Amino acid sequence: MSECIFCKIVAGEIPAKKVFEDDDLIVFHDINPVAPVHLLAIPKKHIASLATATADDALVMGKLLQTGSQLAIEQGCADGFRTLINTGRVGRQEVYHLHVHFVGGPDVLPPMLKR
Ligand code: 5GP
Ligand code: ZN
C-alpha cells in the first residue's frame, strides 16, 4: 500500500472534501487553508514533484491548471487567485505528490514575495 497521503486520497483510503474528480485528476479543499479559497489539484497518477514530471505528464499537468482554474472561479475567485507549486526542499514542498495550490478570496493575497 502506498505511504503517500495524496495517493491515499486518490484510493479513497482517507477522506477529502472533493470538488471535482475525473479519470485523471482530483481537486479538493486543502485541510489547512491559508485563504478563504484554497484548493489542491492533483493527478491521480503518483508524480512526486514538478521536478520529476516527464513529457508524458504534460497533458495531465495542463488539465490540473485548466480544471483547477475553473473550480477556483466557481468557489469564489472570480476576480483572481494565485496558483502555486512548491517543488523540492528549497521550494518547501511538504507532500511529495505533485499538486497545484489555488489560493484566493476577496482581496486577501499579499504581494508575491518580499523584495
Ligand atoms: P506543499 O507544501 O507540499 O505544497 O503543500 C501540501 C499541502 O497539503 C498543505 O497546504 C497541507 O495543508 C495540505 N495537506 C496535507 N495533508 C493533507 C490532507 O490529508 N488532506 C488535505 N485535504 N490536505 C492536506
Ligand atoms: Zn502519491
Side-chain angles (χ1 to χ4, degrees):
M1 194 167 62
S2 173
E3 288 306 309
C4 168
I5 193 132
F6 287 176
C7 281
K8 288 184 177 176
I9 287 175
V10 171
E13 290 164 10
I14 63 167
K17 282 169 62 183
K18 292 180 194 173
V19 293
F20 180 85
E21 178 168 11
D22 72 7
D23 288 345
D24 299 318
L25 60 103
I26 305 181
V27 182
F28 52 95
H29 291 277
D30 195 291
I31 204 168
N32 190 15
V34 298
V37 178
H38 189 168
L39 299 177
L40 300 175
I42 70 167
K44 285 191 167 175
K45 174 188 171 187
H46 180 85
I47 301 167
S49 85
L50 187 59
T52 64
T54 70
D56 288 344
D57 301 321
L59 189 60
V60 73
M61 289 164 65
K63 282 187 72 173
L64 295 178
L65 291 178
Q66 196 276 329
T67 305
S69 167
Q70 293 310 303
L71 293 162
I73 291 165
E74 281 177 31
Q75 296 279 323
C77 296
D79 291 333
F81 51 87
R82 187 161 292 155
T83 311
L84 258 171
I85 304 176
N86 296 321
T87 302
R89 179 180 61 82
V90 170
R92 304 287 184 101
Q93 184 175 0
E94 289 174 4
V95 177
Y96 277 78
H97 181 129
L98 176 63
H99 52 282
V100 185
H101 296 258
F102 292 86
V103 178
D107 296 319
V108 294
L109 295 176
M112 186 176 71
L113 286 174
K114 279 196 185 147
R115 294 185 189 278

